[in-house]
Amino acid sequence: MRHLKKKFHKLTAEMLDMPQDVVYDLPRLTLIGDRQLYIENHRGVVHFSSEKLMLALSKGQLEVSGSDLVIRTIWTEEVFIEGVITSIQLLP
């Protein structure tokens, strides 16, 4: 059943020319150098400190590490952080 669902989503995305992040509910990350990160399609903040940000995703978590991290803007499904970003990891 899961295989059919994936095929249906892929076919729908192709036919309607929709981005896959919308169809599959995937996060969209926009990194500007190592100083700014804009994340869309998150499900909430799990942990935040000046060295680490953990966000819940529809499938797993996103871990952003660095120094002097600051949340500049946060909305229901979007977050914008600044600081020195040293790593970004998708965790299952």
Side-chain angles (χ1 to χ4, degrees):
M1 186 66 148
R2 181 179 279 185
H3 183 66
L4 288 174
K5 188 175 180 179
K6 281 186 177 183
K7 277 191 168 188
F8 177 74
H9 282 298
K10 184 177 180 181
L11 182 63
T12 303
E14 289 173 0
M15 288 178 64
L16 298 177
D17 196 28
M18 294 176 63
Q20 290 194 9
D21 62 310
V22 174
V23 175
Y24 292 111
D25 198 25
L26 300 172
R28 177 180 290 218
L29 311 174
T30 305
L31 179 65
I32 301 169
D34 65 346
R35 302 294 170 158
Q36 297 178 331
L37 179 62
Y38 180 71
I39 305 156
E40 298 174 80
N41 298 334
H42 72 89
R43 299 290 173 257
V45 176
V46 175
H47 170 80
F48 177 73
S49 70
S50 62
E51 288 84 32
K52 186 182 287 189
L53 169 67
M54 299 271 302
L55 293 174
L57 304 175
S58 60
K59 296 178 184 172
Q61 292 184 343
L62 179 75
E63 179 182 278
V64 179
S65 300
S67 60
D68 302 322
L69 299 179
V70 176
I71 295 176
R72 288 288 176 213
T73 309
I74 187 165
W75 293 292
T76 307
E77 293 185 359
E78 302 170 13
V79 64
F80 179 66
I81 64 168
E82 289 184 336
V84 180
I85 300 164
T86 56
S87 73
I88 300 170
Q89 287 187 297
L90 287 171
L91 306 171

